[in-house]
Amino acid sequence: MRALRRLREGAAVRLAVGMAVLVGAVGAVGVAGSGQQVAADPAPPPPVRTVSYNACGAHTCQNTVDSADTWAEKFRSRMEAEGGPADVIALQEMCTGQYEALRKVLDGYTAHWAGEQEPTGCGRWGGSSTTFGQALFVKGAATDFTAYRALANPAETSVPQQRWMLCLKGPVGGRTTLACGTHLATSLPSNGTPVVLANMERWAAGAPALITGDFNAIPSHAALAPMRTGLCGTGPFAEADAGRNAPTAWAAAAPFTYRLKYDHAFFGSRDFTELRARTADIDLTPGEDHKLVWAEAKPLARTAVRVPGDLTGDLCPDLLAVRKDDTLRLYPGTGRGTFGSPRVIGSGPEWNGAVVSHRGDWDGDGDEDVVARKGDQLLLHRNTGTGDLAAGVVMKVSETGWAHASPVAAGDIDGDGGPDVLATSATGLWLHRGRVAADGGWLSFSAARIGAAEWKDHEVLTPGDTNGDGKAEVWARDAAGNVQQYSYDSGTKTLGAPTALGGLPRASRPLALSLGDADGDGHADLWSTTSAADLVFHPGGAPFAETGGVTVGTGGWGYFSRLG
């Protein structure tokens, strides 16, 4: 196999030289008769390349022949022979001696290390200690990177059972990126992927992100589902080898037939495209416990991402709640149906009994704004970009006043590109068509009644566009607690026939709210308060019911008069 590799390397060099000569000849040619050289198109950004390899440095598959320096040089040369220098290199089950030897041969990389175990097998590699763990190398100067590391099982106190994740944040592929490596285990809840994702979201802080390593999970394992879904801050992740799923681990015996795919490379799908991967047997352990996994993805220019319901700019839908102490509180979303600690963003008697909602950017600055009915006024509170609110501005004066109506910002109901308001009153359900404007005139169109008088007892919920048709759907809970979905027909200017979504009785579930898809599974979700003053998250995709929800807030939710 080594002879075959040398032959392949030689052929690759001859091919590269030939291509260089050809490119040079072509590049020297201009346009005949023009006297001018043709300007070349801007070069596309090069792909970001990652490598993951479980080195098996201390156990039964350990290399017992090579010194640490020889092993490191073989790893570097064979890795580069398979695909050239990598931008990100993640190695698992390494000894300190191997890590220190690699640092000498991987010139131009920033190195990061974690590990506290001290198995006897690490002694043969020398080095400054016999610790055992994992390493991450990212191409670039250390001064350009911020290093992070954390346990994937934070509560684990037994050192032999601890599993780490390592990340470096800095210039990768020409832009700030969070690059991570990990080694997870089946002994962790969901193999540790929820903890890994939460850390990546916090450390990336909106930057592109990628991770590669030994997940100890085959592609169909439920532990990888959170990776593919991602969180609101990271977006979903795509796997480089998702189509082929070539096995990478557990070679039984000669001729080393690999049986399972445990090693994966995930790239944020908002920021990378054209993903590819391949595997290679690089002959560095007697039993070849793992193959080397090469992956690459081209950087994708990110378009502006807006998430309905997001007030703070972190791409997570947020919750507003009017408390009976005359305050408006903002609960920042986490992307898993839960919320962080609240902060007060409005206070004073005018918030007493207010009806609040947020679904739409009314002033065109890119931030979702808050619509509030206070007393007899309907006001727009512009979002400053962090969830803090500017002073209210009157949106529309009603001849009959707003005090006896429940108006909510519902998104773009009619599909004309502007956010709209739906209002229930004793006369039915009214659509107030809206438009985006920097300075007033948001609701300058005449209102149209689209629902009969029975709507006076309906609670209007605002899930946004649930079916991808460009128009926001309407959810409503009637007096009996039945939750139904309606779509607006722009031709007939009426609501279509309802679709049943389940039921949440008003007596036991006083308040309800939809913020759209908060957990990233493609289905709009629902929250409700209980008669025991808890807050319950109801994931979408199944009928909403009193059973099956997840309690995400314990106690105190009886003190609120409105969710928005």
Side-chain angles (χ1 to χ4, degrees):
M1 186 169 185
R2 293 183 177 88
L4 179 60
R5 180 179 288 108
R6 287 193 295 271
L7 180 62
R8 188 166 64 237
E9 292 171 10
V13 170
R14 290 192 294 275
L15 177 61
V17 171
M19 289 300 292
V21 172
L22 178 60
V23 170
V26 173
V29 177
V31 177
S34 69
Q36 296 180 350
Q37 200 76 10
V38 176
D41 291 333
V48 173
R49 296 173 173 174
T50 69
V51 163
S52 177
Y53 183 62
N54 187 314
C56 193
H59 300 303
T60 54
C61 54
Q62 179 188 60
N63 180 323
T64 59
V65 177
D66 296 319
S67 67
D69 288 339
T70 301
W71 178 91
E73 181 53 41
K74 284 182 177 180
F75 174 82
R76 183 200 62 77
S77 63
R78 294 175 185 180
M79 174 193 71
E80 293 184 357
E82 294 296 339
D87 298 289
V88 179
I89 305 169
L91 298 106
Q92 307 87 41
E93 296 192 22
M94 290 191 69
C95 295
T96 300
Q98 293 172 290
Y99 168 67
E100 291 173 348
L102 266 182
R103 292 192 65 174
K104 292 186 289 186
V105 300
L106 291 177
D107 188 41
Y109 285 82
T110 295
H112 196 16
W113 165 265
E116 297 179 7
Q117 299 181 46
E118 294 188 80
T120 56
C122 277
R124 72 162 302 276
W125 297 106
S128 61
S129 76
T130 57
T131 54
F132 177 75
Q134 56 186 291
L136 179 68
F137 293 85
V138 178
K139 189 182 295 184
T143 53
D144 293 333
F145 288 91
T146 301
Y148 304 92
R149 71 174 189 171
L151 288 169
N153 48 344
E156 182 60 69
T157 57
S158 172
V159 170
Q161 299 301 318
Q162 290 175 344
R163 296 299 176 107
W164 291 89
M165 64 175 295
L166 300 173
C167 298
L168 288 165
K169 184 178 180 181
V172 179
R175 59 183 178 177
T176 299
T177 299
L178 183 76
C180 303
T182 194
H183 187 195
L184 302 179
T186 56
S187 61
L188 281 63
S190 297
N191 282 42
T193 53
V195 174
V196 166
L197 273 173
N199 286 332
M200 290 183 69
E201 182 179 52
R202 185 169 68 256
W203 298 338
L210 63 89
I211 184 168
T212 186
D214 179 355
F215 286 74
N216 267 303
I218 61 175
S220 60
H221 197 293
L224 296 185
M227 294 301 308
R228 298 187 177 101
T229 301
L231 296 176
C232 48
T234 64
F237 285 85
E239 186 174 2
D241 193 33
R244 195 167 57 101
N245 282 326
T248 64
W250 278 43
F256 307 136
T257 302
Y258 292 85
R259 297 186 288 131
L260 301 172
K261 182 184 180 185
Y262 276 177
D263 307 87
H264 306 270
F266 290 97
F267 295 80
S269 58
R270 289 174 181 161
D271 301 294
F272 295 94
T273 187
E274 297 185 38
L275 279 62
R276 298 190 304 163
R278 61 184 180 277
T279 61
D281 187 338
I282 59 173
D283 302 325
L284 282 180
T285 56
E288 288 304 321
D289 184 52
H290 283 255
K291 286 189 177 184
L292 179 143
V293 178
W294 253 101
E296 66 175 45
K298 290 185 177 179
L300 179 67
R302 182 187 290 186
T303 56
V305 178
R306 294 182 182 177
V307 173
D310 174 27
L311 290 170
T312 59
D314 63 357
L315 306 181
C316 298
D318 306 307
L319 181 147
L320 294 177
V322 179
R323 192 172 165 88
K324 295 176 182 178
D325 63 356
D326 298 347
T327 61
L328 175 66
R329 300 191 176 198
L330 184 153
Y331 288 79
T334 65
R336 295 174 293 277
T338 62
F339 300 95
S341 299
R343 74 176 195 264
V344 174
I345 61 170
S347 62
E350 70 270 19
W351 290 102
N352 185 288
V355 176
V356 298
S357 55
H358 59 105
R359 178 71 69 184
D361 172 20
W362 290 84
D363 59 1
D365 66 354
D367 300 314
E368 195 161 273
D369 303 304
V370 173
V371 172
R373 189 219 67 192
K374 300 178 181 178
D376 206 31
Q377 289 187 313
L378 184 65
L379 304 174
L380 177 68
H381 288 270
R382 292 183 175 91
N383 181 2
T384 62
T386 62
D388 294 319
L389 304 181
V393 180
V394 173
M395 295 187 75
K396 185 177 186 178
V397 176
S398 171
E399 294 179 0
T400 58
W402 291 99
H404 301 293
S406 292
V408 293
D412 185 8
I413 296 293
D414 58 0
D416 68 351
D420 304 311
V421 167
L422 291 174
T424 56
S425 70
T427 57
L429 176 67
W430 293 82
L431 170 63
H432 298 261
R433 294 174 53 230
R435 67 187 186 94
V436 176
D439 242 341
W442 299 291
L443 295 174
S444 56
F445 302 105
S446 298
R449 191 170 75 161
I450 60 172
E454 65 264 19
W455 278 83
K456 70 179 185 299
D457 297 321
H458 284 45
E459 181 181 23
V460 175
L461 310 171
T462 56
D465 182 5
T466 65
N467 58 16
D469 66 351
K471 296 189 295 184
E473 274 61 54
V474 179
W475 285 5
R477 184 168 63 145
D478 64 19
N482 299 308
V483 181
Q484 295 180 308
Q485 175 172 295
Y486 300 81
S487 294
Y488 180 76
D489 187 323
S490 299
T492 63
K493 301 188 185 309
T494 60
L495 294 178
T499 301
L501 299 178
L504 293 169
R506 292 281 191 100
S508 57
R509 301 298 170 110
L511 302 177
L513 172 73
S514 177
L515 294 170
D517 179 14
D519 56 6
D521 66 354
H523 301 286
D525 307 308
L526 196 64
W527 288 258
S528 68
T529 60
T530 72
S531 53
D534 295 334
L535 180 69
V536 175
F537 172 60
H538 304 270
F544 298 122
E546 289 188 277
T547 58
V550 179
T551 300
V552 295
T554 305
W557 288 90
Y559 292 102
F560 293 95
S561 61
R562 189 80 185 196
L563 303 180

